[in-house]
Amino acid sequence: MAHTYRVAIDGMHCHACERLVTMNLSAIPGVTVLTADAQEGFAVIAAETEPDPAAVKAAIVAAGFTPRGGVVTLEEVEWELPEPTVQEPDACDTGACPVVPPAPDPAIMAASAAAATSSATLGIIGMTCSSCQAVIERTLQRMPGVGSAVVNLANETATVAYDPHTLSVDDLVAAVRAAGYDAVPRDEDAAPGTAGDAQREAQQEHIRGQKRLFVFSLTLSIPLLLLMVPSIMESAPLIVSEWLAETFGGAWDPMMVFKYISFALATPVQLIAGAQFYRGFWHALERRTGNMDTLVAIGTSSAYFYSLAATFVPALMGEPVFFETSALLLTFVILGKLLEARAKGKTSDAIKKLMGLQAKTARVVRDDVEIDVPVEQVLAGDVVVVRPGEKVPVDGVVTEGSSAVDESMLTGESIPVEKREGDTVIGATLNKLGSFRFRATKVGAETALAQIVKLVEEAQGSKAPVQRFADRISAVFVPVVVGLAVLTFLVWLLVVPRFVDPSFYAEATPFIKALLAGTAVVVIACPCALGLATPTAIMVGTGKGAENGILIKSGEALETAYKIKAIIFDKTGTLTHGTPVVTDIELADGHDTDRVFMLAAALERGSEHPLAEAIIAHAKERAMHLPQVEGFAAIPGHGVEGTVDGTRVAFGNRRLMAAEGIDIARFEERINALESGGKTVMLVGVNGAKLAGIIAVADTLKENSKEAIARLTKIGVEVYMITGDNRRTAEAIAAQAGIVPDHVLAEVLPEHKAEEVAKLQSRGLTVAMVGDGINDTPALAQADVGIAMGAGTDIAMETGGIVLIKNDLRDVVTAIELSRATIKKIHQNFFWALGYNSLGIPVAALGLLKPELAGAAMALSSVSVVTSSLLLRRFRPSMSKGAAR
Amino acid sequence: MNHTSNCRRVVLAALGVLTVGALALGGCTIASTDGSHPADGVWGYVAAADAAQLEISGPATADELVVDRVLSPGDAWLVVHLNDSGKPGMRVGLERIDAGESLAVRIALEDVTTDKLIVAVHADKGVAGEFDFSMDDPMGSPDRPYFVDRAELAVVVDVK
């Protein structure tokens, strides 16, 4: 039976907001949205089991809103499904909501979202600006069976969640093509980095086509430009007229011959090179929207068709022509697109670099014979031979031999890591001097390198919230600009002539001046640079992160990291090495060391807690035989218990002993002394009656933790440490790390870690959580930015928005610095993009900008924004590292 | 190093755009935007020497001028001007002719005040049968003169 839950949500204003929330929440597997109410600020969802609050939060945030108080509280409520009503689309009058297209039917949309169980990524070809992006998003989102569609302008992809029973990937491709663009499905199961091969090929072909058009346009535009030089303007048409008269007889007017030559040169440019803009204009018009194509088509057409009339309509034959304006404008726009494509290609260099790390072949043992095979043919379970100087081809576990392996290309760690039997090796790392054999465990798309490439690709394809700013502006830009252009035209035509001296019109009539000013406004105002401002910076930023061993999994994580005001570090495995060693064993009367240790070690064999490793390692060193445990139970935050050799054993902290009713008063002084020294004391209770002994282990601080925390404090971030350890132990470690006692969150149960994060968030702080274990997962999800250590559990890495491959806390600082640099770059880009538009429009409206120059400026604005983003590649972490590349 | 060269290439590309833009600005700024021609250049209709010819053998009287032979590539006007220091002055005679050869065309004259007249052949490109030519806007007038070998098709005639 389904349960219904109410979730309070802040920030919804209208039906469009409600629909966004509905679409995003419906994308959570098993969740059906019963209602979303913008006025009251809540949504009601139905699910068989209580949904993961982190997933609910992620869906709400992805829709552009926030759970009330920053925390998702699922309040179970009774709810009856209301009669379906058709809501007015986009009834937002606040202008504060994310812009979404009107859906054909909200009920269908909600059903589509709920059934959208498949996901496809399409490579899009032919987008020029964020308006194109909006057109494709609208087109896809309006299709019945599509749950959500996100289009990224920078890496030219569309990620679509859809119902495979309703439509296919081919339908999605057909819809994009019908919208005037090209699309190719990306094979996400392909070898790492090759998913976009078909798209790259299509894009290369598209770029080649654009190059041909550019050369074609330029070839015809240069003579047009030269014809504007007075001496050539005078002589060339005369020579042609004389030739025509000699050849064909009759009389030829050089002025008309000049117009015919211009017409002959400009027409192929307009009809062939300009055809793509007319197609785009038409497709946008069909969808009642506008894009860069709209502006270019209107701008060039006004110049071209006026000139056409001035050439062939007898009454207008005395009027001048502007064929060069339309042709040069198209040439500049195509040149701008080419330069932009070239620059955009460089923003994905990080992926290419990562792919270059992969070994091409592997030497595997098959039928006792070593043979070289392409790396794609290595199977899980194959025994692979690695010789000195060779790259490790895939991931696996060493079965024979030993060596040192340079993992710096993936982890940044400059010191080669010793590998011996039983150790894991990572594909793409470099073997140094020794030889070894390993059994392949992960191949193809499963390898660590492939996963890293996939994560980076996904992050580069994600849309940062700041992008919505550009989307909103772009959505209204085209109609506003066309309106401004018409206004400019009318003012120049009807108003200006009343106030200026007639000599002002000595060279051009009021109509001509009005036409040129209006055309320049249309052309200068194209928002293409605005659309590139965010995604190009995000692409370079995430790529730069990958180069430094920081996997930023989404644009949102990258953006939020710059706002971090507080960071909570999990202690074990994050601030410390996470591999504590046994330092002290104290026995109660009548017990012997080996037996007490054997009881504890036998229990810990079944535990995943890092402290267990110290106990097991210690037991292994002493070659202890560990008997089987019956009735094993791990009690989070307390310890473990079970029956060993017929003895009921409880091994854990004070709380466990208290729960067992075991008196530890006699050991309290010793326990305190050990804990004061930063050691973790674990108590061994037997038969629920008495304490048999205490075992102390110490986990040492990582070498770089102190340096990283000092740096974080210096850049104004409050640093906290969270641990289940008691306060004294925690404070001892915190003191070593440089964390003030007030910022030590000790004795926190795993299930309460998320609450501690929420407490800081309730103070208005943007909080990052750094952790590595399963127990950190809720806190990682609760935090504004979850930062997972690469050596941690898979689930922690999946939950974290940022993954640090090197386990080096200095990378937390680098991630924040990179985020700050990226956001700064995005703001700079907005300045450039909006600067061009906001300065260019008045200049053009005042008649001070020729349309062809407006075209050049427009092209330059896109190039300058992409170039500005590329400068982010100069980013260097402030904290020195031996392996910094 | 590679990074630097990439940046350099992008900067060069941007400079390229600026250069072409500046060229466009230069071209557009120095060009006359209304497409007009200098008055002392070829501002009428260009015809081949064997398609447009004008022959006048005798002097004119104060009342009449006879054009012996005129060959015109299209319907045209024979226009007689007073001589204003070697340039066409006030119009004193006008006669329409058809395309092709016309012989012994008589043109009535009035108000002849100079001892020389200038006879030119203008095309009839405007409203047929109406002389659409204004001395105030010669280049904007459709019935402009024919030019042969970059000179106006015209003959200076003495007045008897």
Side-chain angles (χ1 to χ4, degrees), chain B residues 6-156:
Chain B
N6 284 339
C7 283
R8 196 175 297 142
R9 265 186 245 136
V10 173
V11 170
L12 282 174
L15 284 175
V17 173
L18 277 176
T19 308
V20 180
L23 192 61
L25 177 66
C28 297
T29 307
I30 55 180
S32 169
T33 54
D34 62 2
S36 62
H37 297 265
D40 53 355
V42 177
W43 51 278
Y45 300 96
V46 174
D50 59 358
Q53 295 168 358
L54 177 64
E55 294 171 13
I56 303 171
S57 57
T61 66
D63 302 320
E64 187 182 67
L65 168 70
V66 178
V67 173
D68 298 324
R69 177 174 173 269
V70 58
L71 181 64
S72 170
D75 293 346
W77 297 94
L78 284 168
V79 186
V80 185
H81 296 271
L82 294 179
N83 179 9
D84 183 4
S85 306
K87 292 188 173 179
M90 193 182 79
R91 193 171 71 231
V92 293
L94 182 68
E95 189 66 42
R96 186 176 182 282
I97 55 172
D98 292 332
E101 189 180 45
S102 301
L103 300 171
V105 182
R106 291 178 180 278
I107 308 169
L109 305 177
E110 54 186 29
D111 300 332
V112 174
T113 55
T114 55
D115 57 356
K116 287 183 186 298
L117 298 171
I118 297 174
V119 183
V121 185
H122 284 232
D124 186 7
K125 294 275 189 178
V127 178
E130 282 184 25
F131 187 53
D132 302 310
F133 183 81
S134 165
M135 291 297 280
D136 295 332
D137 183 20
M139 284 171 289
S141 302
D143 291 357
R144 279 169 282 137
Y146 288 115
F147 280 74
V148 174
D149 295 332
R150 303 199 176 183
E152 189 172 342
L153 182 60
V155 171
V156 177

Side-chain angles (χ1 to χ4, degrees), chain A residues 537-561:
Chain A
I538 294 284
M539 282 185 78
V540 178
T542 49
K544 199 69 199 171
E547 279 180 33
N548 285 279
I550 301 164
L551 294 183
I552 299 160
K553 288 163 63 180
S554 68
E556 187 185 350
L558 184 64
E559 185 186 333
T560 313

Side-chain angles (χ1 to χ4, degrees), chain A residues 354-597:
Chain A
L354 285 171
M355 288 314 305
L357 296 176
Q358 196 177 30
K360 302 282 179 287
T361 60
R363 183 170 296 119
V364 298
V365 180
R366 287 181 184 162
D367 299 327
D368 294 329
V369 178
E370 291 182 13
I371 53 168
D372 285 334
V373 297
V375 72
E376 295 81 15
Q377 293 178 13
V378 179
L379 305 172
D382 273 344
V383 172
V384 184
V385 181
V386 185
R387 292 178 179 170
E390 287 181 348
K391 277 187 173 178
V392 177
V394 295
D395 297 359
V397 178
V398 177
T399 54
E400 193 181 331
S402 65
S403 182
V405 175
D406 177 2
E407 296 185 339
S408 62
M409 58 289 295
L410 290 183
T411 66
E413 175 56 57
S414 59
I415 302 166
V417 182
E418 288 296 328
K419 299 286 180 184
R420 52 175 64 89
E421 203 174 319
D423 287 339
T424 56
V425 286
I426 310 169
T429 55
L430 184 65
N431 180 31
K432 303 298 272 187
L433 297 175
S435 294
F436 62 90
R437 291 182 173 207
F438 72 96
R439 186 169 299 282
T441 54
K442 289 179 178 173
V443 297
E446 300 296 316
T447 63
L449 178 66
Q451 293 297 316
I452 289 169
V453 169
K454 190 162 184 267
L455 276 178
V456 175
E457 281 183 336
E458 283 173 359
Q460 292 187 335
S462 70
K463 191 184 276 191
V466 68
Q467 173 68 27
R468 293 202 192 97
F469 170 69
D471 289 351
R472 282 182 211 171
I473 291 182
S474 297
V476 296
F477 223 71
V478 173
V480 166
V481 164
V482 173
L484 274 177
V486 171
L487 186 67
T488 301
F489 177 80
L490 292 175
V491 167
W492 273 95
L493 185 67
L494 304 174
V495 180
V496 174
R498 294 168 186 265
F499 297 98
V500 297
D501 190 87
S503 62
F504 182 69
Y505 295 106
E507 289 194 344
T509 63
F511 179 82
I512 298 302
K513 284 189 180 284
L515 183 77
L516 290 176
T519 302
V521 168
V522 166
V523 173
I524 193 69
C526 185
C528 41
L530 193 64
L532 290 167
T534 304
T536 52
I538 294 284
M539 282 185 78
V540 178
T542 49
K544 199 69 199 171
E547 279 180 33
N548 285 279
I550 301 164
L551 294 183
I552 299 160
K553 288 163 63 180
S554 68
E556 187 185 350
L558 184 64
E559 185 186 333
T560 313
Y562 114 99
K563 293 187 247 176
I564 291 172
K565 292 291 175 213
I567 291 188
I568 302 176
F569 286 96
D570 169 51
K571 193 204 80 175
T572 310
T574 303
L575 278 177
T576 66
H577 283 109
T579 50
V581 292
V582 174
T583 55
D584 303 86
I585 301 173
E586 306 273 341
L587 300 172
D589 294 339
H591 293 275
D592 82 67
T593 304
D594 283 351
R595 177 161 170 79
V596 168
F597 205 84

